[in-house]
Amino acid sequence: MKVYRTDEIRNVVLLGHGGSGKTSLVEAMAYVSGATNRMGKVSDSNTISDFDKEEQKRGFSIGTTLVPIEWEKAKINVLDTPGYFDFVGEVEEAVSAADAAVIVVSGKAGVEVGTEKAWELCDKYNLPRMIYVTEMDVDDASFRQIVEDLTEKYGKVIAPHFSPIRENEKLVGYVNIIKNAGRRYTGISQREECEIPDYCMEYVEKYREKLLESVAETSDEFMERYFAGEEFSVEEIRAAMRTEVMEGTIVPVAMGSNIQAQGVANLLSDIVRFFPSPDYRECIGVNRTTNEMFEGHYNFASPKTAYVFKTMVDPFIGKYSFIKVCSGVLKGDDVMYNASSETEEKLGKIYTMCGNKPMEVSEMFAGDIGAIAKLSPNTKTGDTLSTKNNQILYGKTDYSKPYTYMKYVCKNKGDEDKVSQALQKMMAEDVTVKVVNDSENRQTLLYGMGDQHLEVLASKLAARYKCEITLETPKVAFRETIKKKSDVDTKYKKQSGGHGQYGHVKMRFEPSGDLETPYVFEEEVVGGAVPKNYFPAVEKGLQESVLKGPLAGYPVVGVKAVLYDGSYHPVDSSEMAFKTATIQAFKKGVMEAGPVLLEPIASVKVTVPDDYTGDVMGDLNKRRGRVLGMNPVGSGKTVIEADVPMTGLFGYCTVLRSMTGGRGTYEYEFARYEQAPSDVQEAEIAKRAEE
């Protein structure tokens, strides 16, 4: 592929609900532009984007794919993203590298929750956007309805600049609203002029009026001409639209059919025409040496810098670090410096990726997106590459945090190391995967964005790395404490040939009032009944005892132990004997002091549209949650704050999504321990006794 200058590049991310047609749109783009000579289908598992075995098996995208398209002397770097929310990390990576977005909406399914999430992401990253309605060749597709729904949701920024011509429920052509002219399809990306049918006129006039109104708003001169009834030329309309698209004051709506590759050529031309090249966007980092701001701004004349926005680790083709060149011109044999890990990197070859096929390029101008193979393990997603004399750091992308977790167990004994190494590679590839070793409950936890995400990870481990795991419900870390006081007298006496063992302690146990620390130890021994040199042994006995409580074997917290009396033997007493006596005293003392189980409580924040607050609060109550308050956060959403036992959060992600149609999100953090209700305590004690 030839080298493109910064002003000839367009970096576009495709966003939208799962199943809206993003991957098949990429196929149509590649076919129409001549990048491929046949169109793949998701159902046939032969698309450029979905090259991973898991994607082909499941029939939807799991990772972000880069596909470069050459069109009208420009290079469009298309980033195809997953539509399902479990893979939002991949979407966030793509959005961080894009300069504009095409939100794909299914003509049949209409505006879905994925459309709303895509719009929110564009707002967050301040991306110019365009809407493309697919499946216009399907019987019950309605472009008119989608435009109405979008206008109702987002107001007058929505501006259709194409309108379909349909005959016998089939898409046969379109009206170009800008030119006010009809076109009829004659072949793939070929069309001829035609009259605008009468049945289209009502909406064409409405859309054109809306478009001209927004064009008029770009300048006083245009406004005067508009009111004077003057016509604008096609060039004037397009120039005004470009300005407005880049400012976000207008969102053009186009349409077509991916399967017939209709409307795709228009979309590609619109991307080149209306979307900004990278040098219109800001890109600011920090110079580590001088601590001053570094304005990269995708200027190819500035020192070389690049941001690693994604990592791909494939057992067959190796590791590829996807980069966006933020300034300068990157060449294949450059030696770069990673300021985050303070290591030098020799680049070797530079590629542009087309799905999983690397295509070598000699150099890359600022703003271009490509990949570098086999960088050291020190270079991770979110790192910046620059020169050693000019060490730059760009801000890292803000990724969603995983809250869904399961315990994983290796199916085959001895696979632990293999699984651990494979998961390390998967964590390098997917920033929303986390592995936590929970030593207290002797379990390893796998965190992801949802149940489906974890299921895909397990499936990938088996297919890619040939190691199998099973996902199980994790154990919750309960605690034990006491509610009353007790007084115990314990003697440890053992007589055998030679020296015996003798330790005697009298101890009081009571709640310390501090659930953060396991125990508080005090001694009030008078007259040397227990010599001072045995006090450390008594404390050692307490240290060991609190690790496993007598009630259900959980760690003990909040106990005050007072040694007030005892006795010793001048020959038989030893540290070991006093330690053992203390352990026995602790077991007895705790069981006599009203022992209870404490359960972990999480403080949860659930963000939901206002319509769903009642359902969500009802569900939180079912999970033994206590709702503490509700705070409106604007744009029709409310944050519900609640304290919920950790046991009540299993499977919450799936339930919340199905209850709110995927619109609800939640986050939580551990807050404190609280006494568990008696039925929960009894069930847990019985379960532990079985184990």
Side-chain angles (χ1 to χ4, degrees):
M1 184 171 267
K2 79 181 191 81
V3 174
Y4 285 83
R5 289 195 321 273
T6 306
D7 59 338
E8 299 169 327
I9 294 164
R10 304 287 183 272
N11 297 316
V12 179
V13 60
L14 300 187
L15 302 172
H17 197 81
S20 59
K22 297 180 291 300
T23 300
S24 50
L25 176 58
V26 174
E27 283 301 308
M29 285 173 158
Y31 181 62
V32 166
S33 66
T36 56
N37 53 15
R38 61 161 186 75
M39 260 167 68
K41 281 186 185 169
V42 174
S43 54
D44 295 347
S45 306
N46 60 356
T47 60
I48 304 168
S49 297
D50 293 355
F51 54 82
D52 189 87
K53 290 275 186 288
E54 279 303 308
E55 294 176 314
Q56 292 171 357
K57 182 170 98 182
R58 293 167 192 271
F60 58 75
S61 301
I62 289 169
T64 285
T65 319
L66 172 64
V67 179
I69 305 282
E70 294 175 292
W71 189 258
E72 292 179 3
K73 296 181 183 168
K75 176 190 183 190
I76 304 169
N77 287 315
V78 179
L79 293 154
D80 179 23
T81 65
Y84 291 101
F85 311 132
D86 281 25
F87 311 103
V88 67
E90 294 283 337
V91 181
E92 288 163 337
E93 285 176 347
V95 170
S96 72
D99 303 314
V102 173
I103 299 175
V104 181
V105 179
S106 156
K108 193 175 174 186
V111 178
E112 295 170 278
V113 57
T115 316
E116 296 166 26
K117 297 233 175 188
W119 191 280
E120 284 164 19
L121 262 177
C122 292
D123 282 347
K124 182 180 171 184
Y125 287 90
N126 192 22
L127 289 183
R129 68 211 75 162
M130 203 184 283
I131 288 167
Y132 184 74
V133 183
T134 62
E135 298 190 298
M136 287 314 297
D137 55 327
V138 178
D139 285 3
D140 46 0
S142 172
F143 183 73
R144 195 173 69 233
Q145 189 58 51
I146 287 167
V147 171
E148 278 173 23
D149 293 348
L150 287 167
T151 309
E152 193 183 319
K153 220 169 198 48
Y154 303 115
K156 62 177 204 166
V157 293
I158 301 296
H161 61 304
F162 289 104
S163 184
I165 298 177
R166 288 163 70 91
E167 286 171 9
N168 304 323
E169 301 298 320
K170 290 276 176 283
L171 181 68
V172 294
Y174 63 90
V175 179
N176 182 327
I177 309 279
I178 297 173
K179 292 181 175 172
N180 203 15
R183 299 282 183 270
R184 188 174 279 275
Y185 293 119
T186 56
I188 295 287
S189 74
Q190 291 173 327
R191 58 247 178 202
E192 61 184 20
E193 283 190 37
C194 70
E195 288 292 315
I196 301 175
D198 293 343
Y199 56 83
C200 294
M201 282 314 272
E202 181 194 341
Y203 287 96
V204 167
E205 282 165 8
K206 193 168 139 191
Y207 297 157
R208 185 162 168 84
E209 190 56 39
K210 196 173 178 185
L211 191 66
L212 295 179
E213 209 173 286
S214 50
V215 166
E217 284 169 8
T218 54
S219 75
D220 293 342
E221 183 207 334
F222 275 11
M223 194 57 101
E224 282 172 23
R225 283 175 56 192
Y226 174 69
F227 283 124
E230 278 185 45
E231 279 289 319
F232 298 124
S233 71
V234 170
E235 277 64 40
E236 284 174 331
I237 295 173
R238 281 185 179 154
M241 273 180 76
R242 178 174 165 81
T243 309
E244 289 194 286
V245 168
M246 276 153 63
E247 286 172 358
T249 51
I250 191 173
V251 177
V253 185
M255 53 86 227
S257 154
N258 297 341
I259 291 169
Q260 311 292 338
Q262 292 169 335
V264 177
N266 289 334
L267 177 65
L268 289 168
S269 299
D270 288 343
I271 288 171
V272 176
R273 222 173 258 148
F274 300 136
F275 279 161
S277 53
D279 49 354
Y280 277 85
R281 309 264 304 162
E282 282 192 345
C283 178
I284 299 172
V286 175
N287 187 321
R288 256 188 68 186
T289 330
T290 62
N291 264 347
E292 290 172 354
M293 301 281 263
F294 173 78
E295 298 185 352
H297 295 335
Y298 305 109
N299 179 357
F300 65 85
S302 296
K304 302 173 192 218
T305 63
Y307 178 74
V308 180
F309 70 90
K310 175 181 164 59
T311 307
M312 183 165 103
V313 185
D314 190 291
F316 306 109
I317 62 174
K319 174 185 166 183
Y320 281 90
S321 302
F322 283 72
I323 54 152
K324 184 177 188 185
V325 185
C326 299
S327 59
V329 180
L330 220 55
K331 291 188 166 64
D333 50 1
D334 282 339
V335 175
M336 301 296 279
Y337 187 76
N338 182 342
S340 307
S341 62
E342 302 189 349
T343 49
E344 276 198 340
E345 292 281 12
K346 185 151 185 2
L347 300 191
K349 292 174 178 172
I350 301 182
Y351 302 97
T352 182
M353 299 294 278
C354 185
N356 63 346
K357 291 183 180 64
M359 300 185 288
E360 197 183 333
V361 286
S362 57
E363 57 185 16
M364 268 190 179
F365 274 71
D368 210 347
I369 291 176
I372 304 164
K374 300 184 179 75
L375 289 182
S376 73
N378 295 321
T379 298
K380 302 181 178 74
T381 301
D383 285 356
T384 306
L385 299 175
S386 54
T387 57
K388 203 164 186 179
N389 308 333
N390 194 56
Q391 295 175 26
I392 305 299
L393 281 172
Y394 290 112
K396 296 199 175 193
T397 307
D398 186 20
Y399 297 109
S400 296
K401 203 171 161 192
Y403 287 106
T404 304
Y405 64 96
M406 295 284 271
K407 161 189 170 184
Y408 80 80
V409 181
C410 298
K411 273 192 182 172
N412 303 322
K413 280 270 180 282
D415 262 5
E416 286 79 10
D417 283 352
K418 200 174 163 188
V419 169
S420 175
Q421 285 169 6
L423 283 171
Q424 286 300 325
K425 287 178 181 169
M426 286 162 85
M427 279 154 67
E429 197 172 23
D430 187 343
V431 284
T432 57
V433 177
K434 196 169 73 167
V435 175
V436 174
N437 193 11
D438 176 9
S439 52
E440 185 186 314
N441 290 306
R442 299 212 184 104
Q443 58 182 1
T444 316
L445 304 175
L446 184 61
Y447 280 77
M449 295 309 298
D451 297 330
Q452 193 178 36
H453 191 192
L454 297 179
E455 194 192 307
V456 166
L457 290 172
S459 190
K460 269 188 183 180
L461 275 173
R464 277 191 188 183
Y465 300 101
K466 305 291 178 274
C467 42
E468 292 187 43
I469 60 169
T470 48
L471 296 171
E472 298 173 3
T473 304
K475 292 177 190 162
V476 169
F478 282 82
R479 293 280 184 271
E480 296 180 23
T481 193
I482 53 175
K483 284 306 207 195
K484 301 176 192 160
K485 293 183 178 181
S486 64
D487 196 327
V488 290
D489 178 344
T490 312
K491 205 175 269 183
Y492 175 66
K493 205 171 171 185
K494 205 173 182 188
Q495 201 59 48
S496 55
H499 273 314
Q501 295 283 354
Y502 182 88
H504 175 210
V505 292
K506 289 184 180 180
M507 297 181 82
R508 284 196 305 271
F509 294 96
E510 58 187 86
S512 72
D514 176 13
L515 296 178
E516 298 289 310
T517 49
Y519 68 91
V520 176
F521 173 56
E522 289 176 7
E523 45 78 22
E524 298 171 359
V525 179
V526 183
V530 176
K532 275 195 170 72
N533 56 324
Y534 292 130
F535 292 169
V538 172
E539 185 158 8
K540 219 171 226 171
L542 284 173
Q543 269 175 3
E544 273 187 30
S545 299
V546 293
L547 297 176
K548 249 184 161 181
L551 189 61
Y554 284 112
V556 178
V557 291
V559 172
K560 182 180 176 182
V562 181
L563 172 69
Y564 67 90
D565 201 359
S567 62
Y568 75 105
H569 188 282
V571 178
D572 289 353
S573 281
S574 67
E575 286 194 1
M576 180 66 197
F578 271 97
K579 183 176 140 185
T580 309
T582 306
I583 289 171
Q584 290 173 355
F586 184 86
K587 273 185 188 160
K588 193 177 169 196
V590 166
M591 290 311 280
E592 286 176 13
V596 290
L597 276 188
L598 301 172
E599 64 179 345
I601 303 292
S603 89
V604 183
K605 288 181 178 174
V606 190
T607 308
V608 289
D610 298 341
D611 307 352
Y612 299 103
T613 49
D615 293 351
V616 170
M617 280 159 72
D619 179 69
L620 288 171
N621 289 333
K622 271 190 217 155
R623 294 168 186 273
R624 297 191 291 117
R626 280 197 306 277
V627 175
L628 304 175
M630 288 165 59
N631 305 312
V633 286
S635 64
K637 289 190 175 177
T638 296
V639 174
I640 300 168
E641 294 188 18
D643 282 350
V644 184
M646 290 292 277
T647 48
L649 286 175
F650 291 129
Y652 187 55
C653 178
T654 308
V655 171
L656 180 66
R657 280 184 193 164
S658 65
M659 210 175 3
T660 61
R663 290 171 176 86
T665 57
Y666 75 109
E667 57 185 85
Y668 65 85
E669 57 184 20
F670 168 75
R672 64 187 172 281
Y673 277 94
E674 265 181 26
Q675 186 176 335
S678 54
D679 57 332
V680 174
Q681 290 195 49
E682 282 161 21
E684 191 58 32
I685 293 166
K687 194 170 116 190
R688 294 286 279 188
E690 272 176 38
E691 285 172 15

